[in-house]
Amino acid sequence: MRREYYSDSILTFLEKSSDEILGELVRSNNIDGATLERTQSEAWLEQIRILKGVFGPDRRDGKVYFEYSIPRLGRRIDVVLLMEPVIFVLEFKVYEELFKSYAVDQVWDYALDLKNFHESSHEPYVALILIATAAKQAFPCSPSVPQNDRVMLPIRATPESLAEVFEQVLRFATGGALDAAEWERGRYCPTPTIIEAATALYSGHSVAEISRSDAGAINLTQTSEAISEIIRSSQQHARKSICFVTGVPGAGKTLVGLNIATKHIDRSSELYSVFLSGNGPLVDILREALTRDKVRKQRERGETTKKGRVMSEVKMFIQNVHHFRDDCLIDPGPPNEHVALFDEAQRAWTMEKTSYFMRHRKKVPDFWQSEPEFLIACLDRHDDWAVVVCLVGGGQEIHSGEAGISEWIDSLDRSFPKWDIHISSRLTDSEYGAGEVLRRLNARSNVTFHDELHLSVSMRSFRAENVSLLVKELLDLEVDSARRTIQNVHGRYPIVITRELRRAKEWLRDHARGTERYGIVVSSQAERLKPHAIDVKSPMDPIHWFLDGKEDVRSSYYLEDVATEFHVQGLEVDWSCVTWDADFRYSNNDWEHWSFVGDRWNSIKKAERKKYLKNAYRVLLTRARQGMVIVVPEGDPRDPTRKPEFYDPTFEYLCEIGFERL
C-alpha cells in the first residue's frame, strides 16, 4: 500500500516541473477522498519551490516523499526525505513567522512515530526540521541526540538556512547511505493508544493499518476476523452466540471491540452493532476524543458544524452499558442491535448489586438477575440471531459488586442452554477465575475453544512486552522470576524508583518528547499522600486529564491532578509516576492491605477487598507505554499515619527485585 501522495528520487524531483508534481499530489488527494482547499495547493507549491532551491549539484542522491501517512495519528508528514544515512522529517509552516511550540511537538510526534513503529526507521538517524517560511531568523543549528535512539532534537529553519541545516546534519551523522527501496519495504507496526485507535477507526482506517502484526503474536486482525466469522455464521444459520475474548493488560481487547463496532456502524444494517462499556471515564473520554477530532477535521475542510450534533452521533456508537441496560428495562422489545460488544465484561455486576440498584434507584422491587444474565436476555429477545462479545481482562476487578467472568458462564449454564459459546482457549487461566464454572460446561455440545480469541502480547508497552508479566510476578511475590523478567524489560523500558516526588516529576519531563503524555497515578485508597500535595478525594476531570494539552492546568502534564485506578483502567499514558502509599504494604514476605478511616489505618480482612486493592496496583503499574517511575515516600516518624516502617519495606522489596534507584 502506497503511503505517500508523491515520491521520486531527488534527481527526478528536480527534473519535473512544479505543476507536474502538484498534479500528482492533487490526484492522490482526490483518490484519498480528501477535500482540497486552495491554500493546500499553494502550500504544496511553496514546499516544492523551497526544496528545488536547496538541492545543489552535490545533493542529488536520495528520495523525497510528500504527504507521508501516519495512520496512528490520523495525519500526514509534509515531507520525508532520505539522504545518505539520515531520515529527514520536514514540517512546513507556510507563511508563518514564528516557530510555535505546538508545531515543534508536531514534528516530534511524526519523527517518534517513524522511529518507534516503522521497521526500517528503527536504526537510522532521524532529523526533525521545522520550517517557518516567513521567519526572519532561524535558530542556530547544532545537531544533537539527547537519548540513545538516534532521534535528533528539533531544528528550526528558514528557507534560506535549510541547505546549511542539511549539510550540518549530514556531517554529524555517521553510517552508510539508506536504500530507499529497502526502507519502503519496512513494515509499519504501530501500537496506538486506545484514544488514537478509536479516532483512527472512527475516521475509516482499518485495524491492520494501526496495529502491529508481529509473527510471534496472534494479532488484532486475526482476532477481529475470528469474531466477524462468528457473527456471519450466527446470522446465516440463525444462531445466538457469545464470544469471550481474553488478553493480557494492554493487548488490545478494547481495540478489537471498537474495530468490530466501526465495521458495522450503519444503523440501517442488520449487522449494526454497539460498543458498550461500564467504565464511565473511558466512555466519556472516547466520546469527547472522537467528537473533538471530527469537529476539527470538518472545520479544517471549511465546513460549519456544531459539537453537540457530532457528540450525539458518537454517543450512538459508544454507549455506557448501564444506559443500554436501562433502555432495555423500559422497552421490552429486542434492541436495535443484533451484536453487542461488552468491554471489561469481568466488571459486570453480581445479582446482589444489580438487584439492590434496581430496588433503590430504579424502583424495580422484584429484579433477581445479575447484570450478565439480564444483558444476555436482552439480546435473546431477537427471534432470529444475536451475538454477544465479552472482552475480558484477567485480575482487573477493582470495585465491589463486580462479578468476574464466572457469572457470565453461570448465567449461560443456568438460563441460555441453546446459545453457542465461543471461548478463548486461555479463559481457563487462573487470573480469570472461571476454571470451576467452565468445567460445568463440558457436557454442552455447543462450546468451542479458539486460540484466536486470546491476545497474548501487550501493545500498550511497545518498548517491552514483558511489563505485565513483571507486574504479575511482583504482586505475586515471585521474586526470582521478577528478577529474571526485569532483565528483559530494563534495556528498552526504563523503570526507576525514588523516595522523592520532586525527582520523579523531573524524570518524567526529561524523558517525554513531543506530545508524549505523562501523569501521576495513585491508588484510590492512598489517603496519606496529602503532605505531598496529592489528595485522592479532590475532584478531577478525566477528560481534561487525558485529552488537554500542556498549557491546561487540568491536564496530566501539569502533574497536579492525579488519576486513580478508576480513572485510568482501559487507558494509558506514555510515561507514568506511580506514587505508592501505605494502603498496600510489603511486610514479612507478604502484602498487607489497609484502609484509612478517620484518623488511622484499619487492616482489611475481607478477601474480596484485598483482591480489589491488589488489582488496583496491577492497573496502576501497567498504565505506561514507555516507562515509569515509582515513588515510595520516606514517611515521617513524627506522623503516626505515615511511619517510615509503613513504607521502607515496600521500597526495599522493589529494590531487591532490581528496579534502578533514581
Side-chain angles (χ1 to χ4, degrees):
M1 180 182 67
R2 186 177 177 183
R3 299 186 59 198
E4 72 281 357
Y5 278 2
Y6 163 82
S7 62
D8 256 326
S9 68
I10 291 176
L11 184 60
T12 306
F13 169 77
L14 291 171
E15 292 172 347
K16 282 185 177 179
S17 70
S18 296
D19 286 343
E20 189 177 358
I21 296 169
L22 178 63
E24 292 192 39
L25 286 165
V26 170
R27 282 192 293 275
S28 295
N29 181 85
N30 293 340
I31 292 171
D32 196 37
T35 303
L36 181 64
E37 301 292 329
R38 179 183 174 185
T39 53
Q40 179 61 74
S41 296
E42 292 173 350
W44 281 334
L45 283 171
E46 183 68 2
Q47 293 167 24
I48 294 165
R49 182 192 68 78
I50 291 169
L51 287 179
K52 280 179 173 287
V54 298
F55 293 132
D58 57 341
R59 281 282 169 255
R60 293 173 179 264
D61 293 331
K63 192 162 184 178
V64 61
Y65 305 80
F66 276 74
E67 297 294 324
Y68 191 85
S69 175
I70 302 287
R72 184 182 75 92
L73 301 176
R75 292 181 178 270
R76 289 180 175 274
I77 303 173
D78 283 345
V79 174
V80 174
L81 179 64
L82 304 186
M83 279 200 301
E84 297 185 23
V86 180
I87 302 167
F88 289 89
V89 174
L90 310 183
E91 177 63 22
F92 289 85
K93 295 303 176 186
V94 177
Y95 310 130
E96 285 281 354
E97 296 182 358
L98 302 175
F99 299 94
K100 296 180 179 178
S101 59
Y102 85 88
V104 176
D105 283 343
Q106 186 178 357
V107 75
W108 258 127
D109 291 347
Y110 292 159
L112 292 172
D113 189 277
L114 283 179
K115 174 59 68 174
N116 291 328
F117 306 125
H118 183 237
E119 285 182 334
S120 303
S121 302
H122 290 339
E123 298 302 326
Y125 283 96
V126 179
L128 302 65
I129 304 178
L130 176 64
I131 303 110
T133 65
K136 299 295 188 291
Q137 187 174 1
F139 285 67
C141 175
S142 179
S144 63
V145 178
Q147 298 187 25
N148 62 0
D149 58 2
R150 292 192 168 191
V151 180
M152 299 183 190
L153 286 174
I155 299 168
R156 298 160 177 84
T158 64
E160 293 74 24
S161 69
L162 188 55
E164 178 59 24
V165 167
F166 287 157
E167 293 300 324
Q168 291 199 37
V169 169
L170 293 172
R171 282 198 295 268
F172 172 84
T174 58
L178 295 170
D179 183 318
E182 183 178 337
W183 185 81
E184 292 169 9
R185 285 194 294 270
R187 293 183 305 166
Y188 179 61
C189 301
T191 58
T193 68
I194 191 59
I195 294 170
E196 292 168 342
T199 303
L201 290 170
Y202 195 66
S203 298
H205 289 284
S206 71
V207 73
E209 288 181 281
I210 61 168
S211 64
R212 286 167 47 181
S213 55
D214 305 50
I218 291 179
N219 63 60
L220 300 177
T221 303
Q222 289 176 274
T223 303
S224 297
E225 288 175 352
I227 296 171
S228 294
E229 178 55 37
I230 291 168
I231 292 172
R232 286 192 293 268
S233 178
S234 299
Q235 180 195 29
Q236 183 178 351
H237 299 101
R239 302 290 299 174
K240 292 173 180 174
S241 306
I242 188 167
C243 305
F244 293 98
V245 179
T246 59
V248 300
K253 300 178 291 294
T254 301
L255 178 52
V256 167
L258 289 169
N259 184 49
I260 298 297
T262 51
K263 281 184 177 179
H264 309 303
I265 203 169
D266 181 4
R267 288 178 63 83
S268 63
S269 168
E270 191 179 22
L271 292 175
Y272 174 65
S273 61
V274 62
F275 179 86
L276 302 168
S277 176
N279 184 337
L282 176 69
V283 170
D284 292 342
I285 290 166
L286 290 182
R287 283 175 169 178
E288 179 70 17
L290 297 184
T291 300
R292 288 186 186 186
D293 183 70
K294 189 166 184 178
V295 168
R296 176 185 62 81
K297 288 176 178 174
Q298 289 181 340
R299 287 176 178 170
E300 285 177 353
R301 294 194 296 265
E303 301 174 14
T304 57
T305 186
K306 291 185 176 180
K307 183 178 178 182
R309 183 173 59 82
V310 175
M311 176 64 82
S312 65
E313 297 172 3
V314 172
K315 282 183 176 179
M316 299 306 298
F317 169 58
I318 298 176
Q319 295 186 32
N320 189 301
V321 67
H322 304 309
H323 299 164
F324 179 86
R325 175 202 63 200
D326 294 347
D327 287 344
C328 289
L329 272 175
I330 296 168
D331 185 351
N336 291 329
E337 304 84 3
H338 279 258
V339 181
L341 303 116
F342 294 102
D343 194 33
E344 296 180 16
Q346 76 281 356
R347 297 186 65 188
W349 291 353
T350 61
M351 182 186 71
E352 290 77 14
K353 182 168 183 176
T354 309
S355 60
Y356 178 88
F357 177 85
M358 291 297 183
R359 288 197 306 272
H360 290 84
R361 298 290 295 276
K362 299 298 179 182
K363 309 304 179 186
V364 181
D366 55 349
F367 194 94
W368 298 108
Q369 287 179 304
S370 66
E371 199 168 41
E373 186 167 357
F374 180 68
L375 292 171
I376 298 172
C378 294
L379 274 294
D380 194 54
R381 296 174 187 175
H382 286 288
D383 292 330
D384 44 5
W385 71 281
V387 175
V388 172
V389 180
C390 294
L391 308 168
V392 184
Q396 296 194 42
E397 300 88 352
I398 58 174
H399 204 286
S400 62
E402 294 178 358
I405 202 61
S406 60
E407 177 54 33
W408 288 90
I409 306 294
D410 265 338
S411 298
L412 289 162
D413 195 33
R414 183 171 57 242
S415 305
F416 306 100
K418 293 184 180 180
W419 275 59
D420 297 330
I421 303 174
H422 299 269
I423 301 181
S424 157
S425 55
R426 295 287 292 276
L427 197 61
T428 54
D429 288 2
S430 60
E431 61 260 40
Y432 300 104
E436 179 59 36
V437 180
L438 283 170
R439 281 189 279 276
R440 298 182 213 159
L441 299 180
N442 288 339
R444 290 178 66 146
S445 60
N446 52 351
V447 179
T448 307
F449 288 86
H450 303 259
D451 290 341
E452 297 85 356
L453 296 183
H454 179 73
L455 296 163
S456 61
V457 175
S458 175
M459 287 194 7
R460 175 175 297 130
S461 169
F462 59 86
R463 290 185 177 274
E465 295 164 350
N466 292 315
V467 174
S468 59
L469 173 61
L470 172 62
V471 171
K472 181 180 186 299
E473 292 167 343
L474 179 159
L475 294 176
D476 290 347
L477 303 171
E478 299 171 0
V479 177
D480 291 338
S481 297
R483 283 175 179 160
R484 289 191 294 270
T485 303
I486 203 171
Q487 298 305 313
N488 296 325
V489 170
H490 180 71
R492 299 188 65 231
Y493 184 100
I495 306 176
V496 296
I497 184 169
T498 182
R499 310 303 298 264
E500 298 180 48
L501 184 59
R502 175 189 59 82
R503 298 188 72 179
K505 290 181 178 181
E506 291 173 357
W507 187 89
L508 289 177
R509 294 187 179 109
D510 287 344
H511 280 74
R513 296 176 288 183
T515 60
E516 290 177 342
R517 186 167 289 275
Y518 51 86
I520 302 172
V521 296
V522 301
S523 160
S524 59
Q525 301 297 311
E527 298 205 24
R528 292 308 299 137
L529 296 176
K530 285 185 180 180
H532 305 281
I534 292 176
D535 184 0
V536 294
K537 295 294 181 63
S538 179
M540 62 84 76
D541 188 329
I543 290 176
H544 294 298
W545 198 88
F546 271 105
L547 298 182
D548 288 349
K550 297 175 182 178
E551 72 288 345
D552 196 310
V553 298
R554 299 165 296 180
S555 76
S556 65
Y557 293 115
Y558 251 75
L559 301 177
E560 292 183 2
D561 289 338
V562 301
T564 72
E565 68 273 19
F566 298 116
H567 301 126
V568 301
Q569 188 172 45
L571 294 154
E572 61 267 300
V573 292
D574 289 290
W575 304 89
S576 73
C577 170
V578 181
T579 306
W580 205 300
D581 200 11
D583 55 334
F584 193 59
R585 311 174 193 170
Y586 182 81
S587 178
N588 298 320
N589 301 316
D590 204 356
W591 293 111
E592 293 182 359
H593 308 73
W594 296 83
S595 174
F596 193 81
V597 180
D599 65 350
R600 69 194 66 195
W601 290 104
N602 293 325
S603 178
I604 295 174
K605 305 298 183 184
K606 289 186 177 180
E608 185 180 46
R609 289 187 63 199
K610 289 183 178 180
K611 179 180 73 171
Y612 294 149
L613 186 54
K614 180 179 179 180
N615 285 345
Y617 275 84
R618 188 192 314 277
V619 169
L620 299 175
L621 291 164
T622 55
R623 290 310 96 185
R625 288 158 53 82
Q626 301 200 51
M628 66 177 157
V629 55
I630 300 172
V631 180
V632 182
E634 289 188 333
D636 185 344
R638 298 165 298 181
D639 183 347
T641 68
R642 296 191 300 119
K643 294 179 180 180
E645 54 262 39
F646 295 169
Y647 300 92
D648 292 348
T650 302
F651 182 77
E652 291 161 6
Y653 168 65
L654 296 175
C655 288
E656 181 187 359
I657 286 174
F659 293 121
E660 177 187 349
R661 294 183 66 163
L662 183 61

